[in-house]
């Protein structure tokens, strides 16, 4: 695990738009306020680094912390959904503004992954879950479980 944490810390040091932190076996991705000053090419590189962590880092869960963003750009939303689909365990969101919640409702993303008011609440919930399938808080199967049951898309 030591090498995994070093890789994650390296990624979080150089990422400007999508900060990465580790909470036990959970990757926490926080889109920051610097998105407006980051070029698309830089965001693309950051997304690639995080995809490597999600797919090959050995982490079980993913938390998207949106507490620093009042709105979410489409390119970032697409990247976050990709991370959620790729993580082998649970994915969740926290700190969602009303504007982002409305955007998620319109794009039919609301309810696919559980949402929590705070990061602490989300981390506690993710760490307490021991099964490998994704579920929302109302017990409906999430997209990771649906993909697993149908096979690779």
């Amino acid at each position: 695990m030591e090498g995994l944490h070093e890789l994650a810390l390296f990624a979080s040091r150089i990422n400007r738009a999508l900060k990465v932190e580790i909470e036990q076996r959970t990757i926490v991705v926080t889109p920051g306020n610097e998105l407006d000053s980051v070029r698309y090419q830089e965001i693309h590189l950051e997304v690639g680094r995080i995809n490597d962590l999600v797919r090959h880092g050995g982490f079980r869960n993913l938390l998207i912390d949106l507490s620093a963003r009042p709105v979410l750009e489409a390119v970032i939303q697409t990247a976050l959904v990709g991370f959620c689909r790729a993580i082998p365990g649970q994915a969740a969101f926290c700190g969602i503004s009303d504007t982002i919640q409305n955007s998620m409702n319109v794009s039919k993303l609301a309810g696919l992954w559980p949402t929590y008011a705070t990061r602490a609440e989300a981390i506690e919930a993710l760490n307490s879950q021991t099964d490998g399938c994704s579920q929302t808080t109302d017990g409906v199967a999430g997209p990771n479980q649906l993909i697993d049951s149908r096979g690779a898309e």
Side-chain angles (χ1 to χ4, degrees):
M1 280 301 271
E2 184 68 29
L4 297 177
H5 290 287
E6 289 176 16
L7 178 61
L9 290 175
F10 175 75
S12 69
R13 273 196 304 264
I14 60 178
N15 281 7
R16 293 184 347 167
L18 299 168
K19 300 295 183 186
V20 175
E21 299 171 77
I22 302 302
E23 296 271 348
Q24 297 175 354
R25 299 218 38 189
T26 299
I27 301 171
V28 180
V29 176
T30 305
N33 288 326
E34 294 186 33
L35 285 173
D36 299 333
S37 66
V38 179
R39 296 180 331 195
Y40 174 78
Q41 293 87 349
E42 290 178 74
I43 292 172
H44 183 73
L45 289 172
E46 291 183 17
V47 167
R49 287 184 202 113
I50 295 169
N51 272 326
D52 286 344
L53 283 172
V54 167
R55 289 188 168 96
H56 309 295
F59 296 99
R60 189 82 192 132
N61 302 315
L62 170 73
L63 175 61
I64 307 295
D65 184 347
L66 297 174
S67 58
R69 298 293 306 164
V71 296
L72 199 58
E73 295 78 359
V75 67
I76 300 300
Q77 182 174 319
T78 300
L80 298 177
V81 167
F83 301 154
C84 290
R85 288 179 175 251
I87 199 74
Q90 300 290 319
F93 288 82
C94 71
I96 296 177
S97 70
D98 290 340
T99 304
I100 293 174
Q101 183 65 52
N102 289 337
S103 172
M104 291 177 79
N105 290 341
V106 168
S107 61
K108 308 287 190 232
L109 293 174
L112 291 178
W113 295 280
T115 58
Y116 299 93
T118 67
R119 179 188 281 206
E121 181 183 340
I123 292 294
E124 181 180 336
L126 288 170
N127 288 334
S128 70
Q129 296 174 1
T130 57
D131 63 25
C133 62
S134 178
Q135 291 188 336
T136 60
T137 53
D138 61 2
V140 176
N144 293 354
Q145 186 176 9
L146 294 175
I147 289 170
D148 289 345
S149 65
R150 292 184 301 200
E153 289 188 345

